[in-house]
Amino acid sequence: QVHLVESGGGLVQAGGSLRLSCAASGRTFSSWAMGWFRQAPGKEREFVAAISWSVGSTYYGDSVKGRFTITRDSTKNTVYLQMNSLKPEDTAVYYCTTKNLRGRTWTVFDRWSYDDWGQGTQVTVSS
């Protein structure tokens, strides 16, 4: 299993930037991916971004394309989410997640496809 800890959330004005971090500890998968989902009060958990660890392929939700960038640091087992041009609609709890890719099908945008989750970090964007 993998323990995930998110950090970097906070309050920012619209148009500003924020960088989230997610550090993975414990046993990581031999072939895996990490990603971010977000959930606002009263709304469904929404796919934000994901990255495959070995290949480095990235995927983004339509609402964040061109504004958010996901990166990884393999030496630290850490994934980052650089969020630029933030909008009030980006306000949510952001959750880090991992996916075991060994012999498994990966449906990138589907939360039920992932294996482990962090506790989340709050991002609030003011008008």
Side-chain angles (χ1 to χ4, degrees):
Q1 64 270 49
V2 181
H3 180 62
L4 302 171
V5 179
E6 302 99 332
S7 62
L11 175 64
V12 65
Q13 293 185 347
S17 299
L18 210 59
R19 189 181 75 159
L20 306 183
S21 299
C22 177
S25 61
R27 294 187 66 185
T28 56
F29 305 117
S30 58
S31 179
W32 63 314
M34 296 185 71
W36 294 92
F37 283 72
R38 67 186 183 185
Q39 188 166 24
K43 298 184 66 177
E44 297 290 326
R45 188 165 296 193
E46 176 189 21
F47 172 72
V48 176
I51 186 168
S52 63
W53 215 252
S54 59
V55 178
S57 300
T58 57
Y59 308 87
Y60 297 95
D62 290 340
S63 63
V64 305
K65 287 181 179 178
R67 300 189 297 121
F68 292 9
T69 303
I70 188 170
T71 57
R72 72 197 193 282
D73 185 340
S74 297
T75 64
K76 299 180 180 180
N77 281 343
T78 298
V79 66
Y80 304 94
L81 185 68
Q82 179 66 46
M83 305 185 294
N84 298 325
S85 301
L86 283 163
K87 306 173 181 179
E89 304 91 271
D90 296 318
T91 296
V93 177
Y94 284 69
Y95 296 94
C96 180
T97 187
T98 65
K99 169 65 177 179
N100 180 12
L101 299 180
R102 174 83 75 168
R104 291 173 169 83
T105 299
W106 183 22
T107 305
V108 176
F109 57 86
D110 184 4
R111 68 178 182 176
W112 298 105
S113 184
Y114 292 82
D115 300 301
D116 299 295
W117 295 87
Q119 294 300 306
T121 184
Q122 176 71 47
V123 172
T124 302
V125 183
S126 62
S127 300

